[in-house]
Amino acid sequence: MNVLIVHAHPEPQSFNTAMKSLAAETLTAAGHTVEVSDLYAMGWNPVASDADFSGRKNPEYMTYALEQRHGYESGSIAPDIAAEIEKLKRADLVIFNFPLFWFSVPAMMKGWFDRVLVSGLCYGGMRFYDQGGLKGKKALVTLTLGGREHMFGPEAIHGELVDGMLRPILRGTLAYTGMTVLPPFIGYHIPYLKPEARAQILEEYKAYLGRLDELEPLRFPRMEEFDAKLFPLPKG
Protein backbone atom coordinates (compact mmCIF):
# COMPACT_ATOMS: atom_id res chain seq x y z
CA MET A 1 0.00 0.00 0.00
CA ASN A 2 0.96 3.65 -0.29
CA VAL A 3 1.64 5.35 3.03
CA LEU A 4 1.93 9.05 3.78
CA ILE A 5 3.46 10.10 7.09
CA VAL A 6 2.67 13.68 8.10
CA HIS A 7 5.11 14.56 10.86
CA ALA A 8 5.23 17.71 13.00
CA HIS A 9 7.93 18.05 15.65
CA PRO A 10 10.39 20.96 15.97
CA GLU A 11 13.33 18.80 17.15
CA PRO A 12 14.95 16.41 14.61
CA GLN A 13 16.53 14.40 17.46
CA SER A 14 13.28 13.93 19.38
CA PHE A 15 11.71 10.62 20.33
CA ASN A 16 8.69 11.66 18.28
CA THR A 17 10.93 12.03 15.23
CA ALA A 18 12.39 8.60 15.99
CA MET A 19 8.85 7.21 15.81
CA LYS A 20 8.41 8.82 12.39
CA SER A 21 11.67 7.31 11.15
CA LEU A 22 10.84 3.89 12.59
CA ALA A 23 7.46 3.91 10.84
CA ALA A 24 9.04 4.82 7.51
CA GLU A 25 11.72 2.13 7.85
CA THR A 26 9.35 -0.59 9.10
CA LEU A 27 6.68 -0.04 6.48
CA THR A 28 9.22 0.25 3.66
CA ALA A 29 10.84 -3.02 4.79
CA ALA A 30 7.38 -4.62 4.69
CA GLY A 31 7.09 -3.71 1.01
CA HIS A 32 4.98 -0.58 1.24
CA THR A 33 5.67 2.70 -0.52
CA VAL A 34 6.24 5.48 2.00
CA GLU A 35 6.23 9.26 1.55
CA VAL A 36 7.03 11.63 4.41
CA SER A 37 5.92 15.21 4.86
CA ASP A 38 8.16 16.51 7.65
CA LEU A 39 6.41 19.83 8.17
CA TYR A 40 9.13 21.61 10.16
CA ALA A 41 11.86 20.44 7.79
CA MET A 42 9.74 21.62 4.86
CA GLY A 43 9.15 25.02 6.44
CA TRP A 44 5.43 24.37 6.01
CA ASN A 45 3.26 27.47 6.15
CA PRO A 46 0.39 26.72 8.57
CA VAL A 47 -1.56 29.92 7.92
CA ALA A 48 -4.71 29.65 5.81
CA SER A 49 -5.07 32.93 3.92
CA ASP A 50 -5.82 34.72 0.66
CA ALA A 51 -2.27 33.84 -0.43
CA ASP A 52 -3.40 30.23 -0.91
CA PHE A 53 -5.11 31.20 -4.18
CA SER A 54 -3.68 32.79 -7.30
CA GLY A 55 -7.20 33.69 -8.36
CA ARG A 56 -10.32 34.22 -6.31
CA LYS A 57 -13.89 33.31 -7.19
CA ASN A 58 -15.12 36.17 -5.02
CA PRO A 59 -12.54 38.98 -4.82
CA GLU A 60 -14.79 41.05 -2.54
CA TYR A 61 -15.25 38.60 0.34
CA MET A 62 -13.34 35.44 1.15
CA THR A 63 -15.13 32.33 2.36
CA TYR A 64 -12.08 30.11 2.70
CA ALA A 65 -13.81 26.76 2.09
CA LEU A 66 -15.52 28.02 -1.08
CA GLU A 67 -12.27 29.49 -2.36
CA GLN A 68 -10.58 26.15 -1.64
CA ARG A 69 -13.14 24.40 -3.79
CA HIS A 70 -12.69 26.90 -6.60
CA GLY A 71 -8.91 26.87 -6.27
CA TYR A 72 -8.69 23.09 -6.42
CA GLU A 73 -11.06 22.79 -9.37
CA SER A 74 -9.46 25.64 -11.34
CA GLY A 75 -5.85 24.78 -10.53
CA SER A 76 -5.30 28.13 -8.84
CA ILE A 77 -4.51 26.74 -5.40
CA ALA A 78 -1.02 27.37 -3.97
CA PRO A 79 1.71 24.95 -5.17
CA ASP A 80 2.63 23.77 -1.66
CA ILE A 81 -0.99 22.79 -1.01
CA ALA A 82 -1.32 21.13 -4.41
CA ALA A 83 1.77 19.00 -3.74
CA GLU A 84 0.38 17.77 -0.43
CA ILE A 85 -3.00 17.04 -1.99
CA GLU A 86 -1.31 14.78 -4.56
CA LYS A 87 0.48 12.89 -1.77
CA LEU A 88 -2.83 12.53 0.06
CA LYS A 89 -4.60 11.24 -3.04
CA ARG A 90 -1.92 8.58 -3.55
CA ALA A 91 -2.09 7.35 0.04
CA ASP A 92 -3.98 4.31 1.25
CA LEU A 93 -2.88 5.00 4.83
CA VAL A 94 -2.00 8.37 6.37
CA ILE A 95 -0.07 8.45 9.65
CA PHE A 96 -0.23 11.72 11.58
CA ASN A 97 2.76 11.83 13.93
CA PHE A 98 3.08 14.66 16.46
CA PRO A 99 3.57 15.65 20.12
CA LEU A 100 0.50 16.75 22.03
CA PHE A 101 0.50 20.54 22.40
CA TRP A 102 -2.15 22.01 24.71
CA PHE A 103 -4.53 19.04 24.31
CA SER A 104 -4.21 19.33 20.53
CA VAL A 105 -1.86 19.24 17.55
CA PRO A 106 1.06 21.62 16.91
CA ALA A 107 0.21 24.65 14.75
CA MET A 108 2.11 23.08 11.85
CA MET A 109 -0.20 20.05 11.85
CA LYS A 110 -3.35 22.13 12.34
CA GLY A 111 -2.27 24.27 9.40
CA TRP A 112 -1.83 21.14 7.28
CA PHE A 113 -5.39 20.13 8.12
CA ASP A 114 -6.71 23.62 7.39
CA ARG A 115 -4.95 24.06 4.05
CA VAL A 116 -4.75 20.54 2.59
CA LEU A 117 -8.10 18.98 3.47
CA VAL A 118 -9.82 21.09 0.86
CA SER A 119 -13.54 21.51 0.36
CA GLY A 120 -14.81 19.85 -2.78
CA LEU A 121 -12.28 17.03 -2.58
CA CYS A 122 -12.23 15.91 1.04
CA TYR A 123 -15.71 17.03 2.08
CA GLY A 124 -18.61 19.21 1.00
CA GLY A 125 -22.37 19.08 0.77
CA MET A 126 -23.49 15.79 2.31
CA ARG A 127 -20.07 14.20 1.79
CA PHE A 128 -18.85 13.53 5.29
CA TYR A 129 -18.21 10.63 7.67
CA ASP A 130 -18.57 7.35 5.75
CA GLN A 131 -19.50 9.32 2.61
CA GLY A 132 -16.60 11.77 2.87
CA GLY A 133 -14.24 12.46 0.02
CA LEU A 134 -11.40 10.43 1.58
CA LYS A 135 -13.52 7.30 1.96
CA GLY A 136 -11.41 4.18 1.48
CA LYS A 137 -8.30 5.63 3.11
CA LYS A 138 -7.12 4.73 6.60
CA ALA A 139 -5.75 7.16 9.17
CA LEU A 140 -3.53 6.48 12.15
CA VAL A 141 -2.65 9.06 14.80
CA THR A 142 0.64 8.45 16.61
CA LEU A 143 1.52 10.91 19.33
CA THR A 144 3.76 11.55 22.30
CA LEU A 145 3.02 13.44 25.48
CA GLY A 146 4.43 14.18 28.90
CA GLY A 147 1.65 12.83 31.12
CA ARG A 148 1.46 9.34 32.58
CA GLU A 149 -1.19 6.91 31.36
CA HIS A 150 -3.14 7.02 34.65
CA MET A 151 -3.71 10.76 34.13
CA PHE A 152 -6.14 10.05 31.29
CA GLY A 153 -9.55 8.40 31.62
CA PRO A 154 -13.16 9.05 32.68
CA GLU A 155 -12.26 9.95 36.27
CA ALA A 156 -8.65 11.01 35.69
CA ILE A 157 -7.22 14.50 36.13
CA HIS A 158 -7.08 15.25 32.38
CA GLY A 159 -10.21 13.35 31.36
CA GLU A 160 -10.58 11.08 28.35
CA LEU A 161 -7.80 11.14 25.77
CA VAL A 162 -9.20 9.24 22.78
CA ASP A 163 -12.86 10.13 23.38
CA GLY A 164 -12.09 13.55 24.82
CA MET A 165 -9.19 15.76 23.84
CA LEU A 166 -8.45 13.87 20.60
CA ARG A 167 -12.09 14.05 19.47
CA PRO A 168 -11.59 17.14 17.22
CA ILE A 169 -8.84 15.26 15.37
CA LEU A 170 -10.16 11.71 15.25
CA ARG A 171 -13.82 12.56 14.65
CA GLY A 172 -13.98 16.19 13.58
CA THR A 173 -11.17 15.95 11.03
CA LEU A 174 -10.23 12.42 9.99
CA ALA A 175 -13.54 10.57 10.31
CA TYR A 176 -15.43 13.63 9.05
CA THR A 177 -13.52 13.54 5.76
CA GLY A 178 -14.37 9.86 5.30
CA MET A 179 -11.22 8.19 6.54
CA THR A 180 -11.32 4.91 8.45
CA VAL A 181 -9.69 5.84 11.75
CA LEU A 182 -7.51 3.26 13.49
CA PRO A 183 -6.94 3.33 17.26
CA PRO A 184 -4.10 5.77 18.00
CA PHE A 185 -0.69 4.73 19.26
CA ILE A 186 0.34 6.86 22.26
CA GLY A 187 3.72 7.26 23.89
CA TYR A 188 3.20 8.43 27.47
CA HIS A 189 5.59 10.38 29.75
CA ILE A 190 8.21 10.53 27.00
CA PRO A 191 10.37 13.50 28.16
CA TYR A 192 10.98 11.81 31.52
CA LEU A 193 11.72 8.23 30.49
CA LYS A 194 15.09 6.53 30.56
CA PRO A 195 16.55 5.25 27.27
CA GLU A 196 15.54 1.67 28.06
CA ALA A 197 11.90 2.64 28.49
CA ARG A 198 11.97 4.67 25.28
CA ALA A 199 13.44 1.72 23.41
CA GLN A 200 10.63 -0.48 24.73
CA ILE A 201 8.00 1.93 23.39
CA LEU A 202 9.66 1.88 19.98
CA GLU A 203 9.54 -1.92 20.01
CA GLU A 204 5.85 -1.77 20.88
CA TYR A 205 5.25 0.71 18.07
CA LYS A 206 7.07 -1.51 15.57
CA ALA A 207 4.86 -4.43 16.59
CA TYR A 208 1.78 -2.20 16.32
CA LEU A 209 2.72 -1.29 12.75
CA GLY A 210 3.00 -4.98 11.97
CA ARG A 211 -0.64 -5.65 12.81
CA LEU A 212 -2.43 -2.65 11.32
CA ASP A 213 -4.74 -4.94 9.36
CA GLU A 214 -5.89 -6.57 12.61
CA LEU A 215 -6.90 -3.35 14.38
CA GLU A 216 -10.59 -2.63 14.87
CA PRO A 217 -11.34 0.88 13.54
CA LEU A 218 -12.96 3.43 15.81
CA ARG A 219 -16.72 3.74 15.46
CA PHE A 220 -18.19 6.98 14.10
CA PRO A 221 -21.59 7.99 12.63
CA ARG A 222 -22.73 6.54 9.33
CA MET A 223 -24.93 8.52 6.98
CA GLU A 224 -27.39 5.64 6.68
CA GLU A 225 -28.26 6.20 10.34
CA PHE A 226 -29.72 9.65 9.58
CA ASP A 227 -32.50 11.02 7.37
CA ALA A 228 -32.16 13.62 4.61
CA LYS A 229 -32.22 16.44 7.18
CA LEU A 230 -29.67 14.61 9.36
CA PHE A 231 -32.08 13.70 12.12
CA PRO A 232 -31.24 10.27 13.57
CA LEU A 233 -33.37 7.44 12.25
CA PRO A 234 -35.23 5.23 14.74
CA LYS A 235 -33.18 2.26 15.87
CA GLY A 236 -34.42 -1.29 15.63
Side-chain angles (χ1 to χ4, degrees), residues 15 18 189-203:
F15 180 84
H189 207 50
I190 296 301
Y192 313 103
L193 296 179
K194 294 182 178 180
E196 297 80 7
R198 290 185 171 204
Q200 178 61 36
I201 292 175
L202 289 178
E203 285 299 316

Side-chain angles (χ1 to χ4, degrees), residues 18-206:
M19 286 180 59
K20 176 266 296 180
S21 299
L22 175 67
E25 294 164 5
T26 300
L27 293 170
T28 298
H32 304 296
T33 300
V34 179
E35 292 186 277
V36 177
S37 289
D38 185 335
L39 301 184
Y40 279 90
M42 293 161 57
W44 175 257
N45 172 22
V47 181
S49 72
D50 174 73
D52 290 343
F53 316 106
S54 61
R56 287 263 299 276
K57 184 175 183 178
N58 183 351
E60 304 301 323
Y61 185 93
M62 185 177 70
T63 301
Y64 189 77
L66 297 182
E67 294 298 343
Q68 277 188 319
R69 182 186 295 256
H70 172 72
Y72 175 70
E73 292 173 351
S74 66
S76 61
I77 204 160
D80 61 337
I81 299 175
E84 293 303 295
I85 288 173
E86 290 307 308
K87 294 178 189 178
L88 179 62
K89 288 165 63 176
R90 286 192 291 268
D92 303 301
L93 167 68
V94 187
I95 299 176
F96 297 94
N97 189 75
F98 57 90
L100 197 70
F101 282 8
W102 292 111
F103 284 25
S104 187
V105 295
M108 285 281 198
M109 183 72 77
K110 180 58 165 61
W112 192 93
F113 290 153
D114 291 347
R115 300 179 69 222
V116 177
L117 301 181
V118 296
S119 175
L121 172 67
C122 302
Y123 71 97
M126 297 290 279
R127 296 168 63 242
F128 45 85
Y129 293 118
D130 64 310
Q131 298 303 315
L134 301 182
K135 181 179 180 180
K137 300 181 185 296
K138 293 182 179 180
L140 171 64
V141 164
T142 57
L143 69 144
T144 54
L145 44 76
R148 296 179 182 273
E149 190 168 359
H150 73 267
M151 297 177 181
F152 302 90
E155 305 300 326
I157 183 68
H158 297 313
E160 291 278 6
L161 181 56
V162 173
D163 294 329
M165 67 179 68
L166 294 181
R167 180 184 175 95
I169 304 162
L170 301 176
R171 179 171 180 165
T173 304
L174 306 180
Y176 184 86
T177 55
M179 305 183 84
T180 298
V181 183
L182 301 177
F185 182 89
I186 302 163
Y188 292 95
H189 207 50
I190 296 301
Y192 313 103
L193 296 179
K194 294 182 178 180
E196 297 80 7
R198 290 185 171 204
Q200 178 61 36
I201 292 175
L202 289 178
E203 285 299 316
E204 292 171 0
Y205 183 39
K206 185 174 182 179

